[in-house]
Amino acid sequence: MSSTTSIDGLPPLRDVIERHGLQAKKALGQNFLLDLNLTGKVARAAGDLTGVTVIEVGPGPGGLTRALLMHGAKRVIAIERDERCLAALAEVSDHYPGRLEVVSGDALKTDFAGLAGGEPVKIVANLPYNIGTELLVRWLTVEAWPPFYQSLTLMFQREVAERIVAKPASSAFGRLGVLAGWRTDARIAFDVPPQAFTPPPKVTSSVIHLEPRREPLAADVKVLGRVTEAAFGQRRKMLRQSLKSMGGEKLLEAVGIDPTRRAETLSVEEFVALSKAV
């Protein structure tokens, strides 16, 4: 094992993984990013981190955590459910005294707004594949808006990233595109090839950056969620059919939408209008 240090004065991630026996677990959706130049690029995609608290989900051996601290985050709160990773993260914490707080637990059971504690916070994460979409939907549908976070900088499989930034009339446009398009400005920052990860996934990944709109169109979050779920749940069907349980043809005519249209042809504004009519 090499005893060299890397750009931040800590051991290279390959050494850390070897020393702590941290082989990525498929069951936890883990793919570790080992290139510190690349984790630095992810950190920079989140914008200026000076004085900011960053919440990270699934830090693993701490590659992105180290980049966030190195790029000036005031502190990082990292949520990790894999207890094997805690010793490696403790070494990062020792290297940056008082700036890393590791929360051992499940991100799906975490109160993120509570963790932020009213401070300016950014969420930056190489999300575990199996919970990424669910977490994003939760962050997009928080009741209080503007939300508790300043921005989201997240890594997804390329195909999911395309669904998040998709515009109406494209085949990728669906529930994620409506929710992200309604409340945020979302863009793909850059792609990450499979070979950057250990183990390499079968697909390309993308880093996506979302900034909350100060004043999105007014709509009831829960109702909009139900409308998009129903509309895209049967995306090949006409809206009069897929929205039957909500009033179907009557509902659509009340809003001036042709009942024979399909979900992916509707704009975000039309979905908001539908949710208000419901």
Side-chain angles (χ1 to χ4, degrees):
M1 195 175 78
S2 73
S3 58
T4 53
T5 54
S6 55
I7 46 181
D8 60 356
L10 280 159
L13 280 160
R14 283 193 193 281
D15 291 3
V16 173
I17 285 172
E18 206 174 305
R19 198 156 32 91
H20 293 283
L22 292 180
Q23 278 58 47
K25 277 189 178 171
K26 201 169 185 173
L28 295 176
Q30 289 173 329
N31 295 88
F32 298 147
L33 256 188
L34 298 192
D35 181 345
L36 286 176
N37 293 311
L38 211 84
T39 55
K41 196 174 174 184
V42 179
R44 287 194 298 278
D48 186 6
L49 298 178
T50 320
V52 173
T53 294
V54 175
I55 298 178
E56 185 190 2
V57 176
L64 180 56
T65 317
R66 286 162 60 168
L68 293 165
L69 291 163
M70 206 167 71
H71 283 79
K74 182 173 80 173
R75 66 187 186 119
V76 173
I77 303 171
I79 300 149
E80 180 55 74
R81 64 174 287 196
D82 184 357
E83 291 183 354
R84 300 175 309 152
C85 297
L86 301 182
L89 293 167
E91 290 173 14
V92 180
S93 185
D94 291 345
H95 191 70
Y96 292 100
R99 290 174 59 199
L100 173 61
E101 181 188 332
V102 179
V103 178
S104 177
D106 184 345
L108 293 176
K109 294 177 183 154
T110 300
D111 170 12
F112 285 90
L115 276 185
E119 286 186 51
V121 72
K122 293 183 176 186
I123 298 177
V124 186
N126 167 19
L127 290 173
Y129 278 164
N130 48 2
I131 60 168
T133 314
E134 190 174 340
L135 281 174
L136 176 64
V137 169
R138 288 184 188 190
W139 292 328
L140 289 174
T141 55
V142 291
E143 287 289 342
W145 202 270
F148 65 91
Y149 53 84
Q150 291 179 336
S151 65
L152 304 169
T153 307
L154 308 168
M155 184 149 359
F156 289 99
Q157 294 173 327
R158 172 82 201 184
E159 174 211 354
V160 177
E162 283 171 349
R163 293 200 332 247
I164 296 164
V165 301
K167 296 286 178 264
S170 71
S171 60
F173 188 61
R175 181 169 167 240
L176 275 181
V178 174
L179 293 176
W182 166 49
R183 276 188 154 179
T184 70
D185 288 308
R187 62 181 174 82
I188 292 177
F190 59 91
D191 290 340
V192 182
Q195 58 272 25
F197 297 89
T198 299
K202 293 187 171 63
V203 292
T204 296
S205 300
S206 300
V207 171
I208 190 157
H209 184 72
L210 302 98
E211 297 215 355
R213 296 180 196 275
R214 298 304 297 169
E215 293 177 8
L217 293 168
D220 181 303
V221 177
K222 289 192 173 74
V223 179
L224 183 63
R226 289 211 319 271
V227 170
T228 52
E229 228 162 317
F232 288 106
Q234 311 178 324
R235 62 183 304 146
R236 292 211 158 66
K237 294 191 172 169
M238 293 176 189
L239 285 164
R240 66 177 174 210
Q241 192 60 39
S242 56
L243 295 179
K244 211 169 187 175
S245 63
M246 296 181 168
E249 207 143 333
K250 250 188 189 155
L251 169 73
L252 291 152
E253 280 166 0
V255 186
I257 293 173
D258 178 350
T260 63
R261 284 172 67 186
R262 288 180 169 78
E264 71 267 16
T265 68
L266 262 58
S267 66
V268 171
E269 290 75 11
E270 286 173 313
F271 272 110
V272 168
L274 273 175
S275 74
K276 282 182 171 167
V278 168

